Amino acid sequence: MSIRTRKLIGTVALLALIAVYALLAVAVAMVLQMHSASKMVEFAYYVLAGTLWTIPAGVIVWWMQRPDQPAP
């Protein structure tokens, strides 16, 4: 697969990841608010949720940037 194709697939995957992750993060935040979690728990959740998405995004970007394999 060429790097150009990987970048196209990776871009679509990143957009899908961010959309799904944001919806899930908001759903969990709403549950925390409904259960009257303390402000410290909410703060810790937002810090964790705000940085956790970078792990799968980094894997996708790493995959996108791999060089093409030489033709046989």
Side-chain angles (χ1 to χ4, degrees):
M1 180 181 309
S2 72
I3 193 167
R4 193 170 179 176
T5 306
R6 280 195 307 273
K7 284 186 179 184
L8 175 64
I9 294 169
T11 300
V12 172
L14 278 172
L15 291 173
L17 168 75
I18 291 170
V20 170
Y21 187 84
L23 290 174
L24 289 174
V26 168
V28 172
M30 289 175 60
V31 169
L32 283 176
Q33 285 184 341
M34 286 192 300
H35 291 292
S36 300
S38 70
K39 295 296 179 189
M40 188 57 90
V41 170
E42 285 186 27
F43 177 74
Y45 169 73
Y46 287 124
V47 168
L48 184 65
T51 57
L52 199 59
W53 68 273
T54 61
I55 295 169
V59 171
I60 293 171
V61 170
W62 172 80
W63 176 76
M64 288 168 52
Q65 296 299 321
R66 287 188 325 182
D68 290 338
Q69 293 183 354

